[in-house]
Amino acid sequence: MLATLGLLAMTAVWGSTFVLIKDVVGRMAVADFLAVRFTVAALAMLALFARPVARMSRIELGRALLLGLLYGVAQLLQTWGLKLIAPSVSGFATGMYVVFTPLLGTLLFGQRLRGVVWLAVLLATAGLALLSLRGFAVDVGVWLTLAAAALYALHIVALGQWSRPEQAIGMAAVQMVAIAAVCLLATAPHGPQLPPDRGAWFAVLYMALVAGAGAMLVQTWAQAHLPATRAAIVMTTEPVFAAVFAVALGYEPLGWRMLAGGALVLAAMYLAELGPRREAPPPELWHHEV
């Protein structure tokens, strides 16, 4: 339950960032924004958690770097796709990681899922569609975003396999370093431009320290305690929180699609979190060793 609450808090923070991102990327290039954001997060995590990083084995370091590489490339693909399609379609396509996660878990690691979890996946997908879609055309931007969703799903599945509570801090810090490296490469050859004003700096620091470093730390720790598919379903509450903040701040009106979509996503989370507890699966389905 504590791991689930941690993931919910993390997605609430992510949901709060949509308004900030919309404002900042209007004043600085997307690649520059991502590079500065994740570089600040990486430096902060290395300064705070140098000892846990130093204690990691070569295998653990390699796994963390690979996870960060997956996440960093996914961030870039999602952002490039967002330039070509509507934000609502981007939100739905990105949220398809909730479908890709159980599929990849089954294909790569032979994970078996109960019917109630598949039902939760379907409910979450339907909720995302109601929250996000106002028409859907499959073009290059959609394919880029679906590729990003697949990489997010692969990150979730692999993190669920490799993360252990005692390694979570070091693994989160090394992942952040790899993400920063990927985003810095995307700004080549000129390198990243710094935020243009105080307001942009505030948004970047919040995104770096709270929604970046803090969220990665919480996700890495939480996924040491939760199966990957359940974690993915809990994280689909991100657009629900985004809608709540958008309504509260006056950016969007409250409509039936928002209410129905949010209710479906929350129902999916309830099934994914409480359903499996009625009949505990065998231990190997919860912690599959690689």
Side-chain angles (χ1 to χ4, degrees), residues 39-191:
T39 298
V40 170
L43 292 174
M45 294 193 79
L46 286 178
L48 291 173
F49 306 125
R51 288 185 179 181
V53 172
R55 289 196 296 263
M56 295 175 68
S57 67
R58 289 185 178 181
I59 292 177
E60 293 164 354
L61 283 170
R63 289 173 172 177
L65 288 171
L66 178 59
L67 288 167
L69 176 64
L70 290 173
Y71 196 96
V73 174
Q75 282 276 318
L76 290 170
L77 289 176
Q78 180 187 6
T79 305
W80 287 333
L82 183 57
K83 288 184 176 181
L84 304 173
I85 57 178
S88 59
V89 177
S90 175
F92 173 76
T94 303
M96 289 301 291
Y97 65 72
V98 75
V99 176
F100 295 145
T101 296
L103 293 177
L104 289 173
T106 300
L107 290 173
L108 298 178
F109 300 110
Q111 297 173 347
R112 292 176 295 164
L113 300 176
R114 296 179 62 206
V116 68
V117 178
W118 286 109
L119 176 59
V121 168
L122 292 175
L123 286 176
T125 304
L128 286 169
L130 277 176
L131 281 167
S132 304
L133 293 185
R134 303 293 189 276
F136 190 89
V138 180
D139 54 20
V140 175
V142 173
W143 287 116
L144 287 172
T145 311
L146 287 174
L151 289 178
Y152 283 135
L154 186 57
H155 177 268
I156 291 169
V157 170
L159 186 59
Q161 299 297 316
W162 293 338
S163 180
R164 299 293 179 267
E166 66 275 10
Q167 304 165 354
I169 293 177
M171 181 168 280
V174 175
Q175 284 183 82
M176 195 59 65
V177 171
I179 297 168
V182 170
C183 294
L184 282 170
L185 285 174
T187 66
H190 61 79

Side-chain angles (χ1 to χ4, degrees), residues 207-270:
M207 293 287 296
L209 301 178
V210 181
M216 179 60 70
L217 184 60
V218 170
Q219 183 184 0
T220 303
W221 174 83
Q223 283 205 241
H225 299 82
L226 287 175
T229 298
R230 284 172 64 189
I233 292 171
V234 172
M235 285 189 280
T236 58
T237 55
E238 179 184 356
V240 178
F241 285 116
V244 169
F245 282 107
V247 171
L249 296 174
Y251 285 89
E252 292 186 31
L254 181 63
W256 72 269
R257 293 175 67 98
M258 192 176 293
L259 290 172
L264 286 173
V265 170
L266 293 177
M269 191 195 71
Y270 175 84

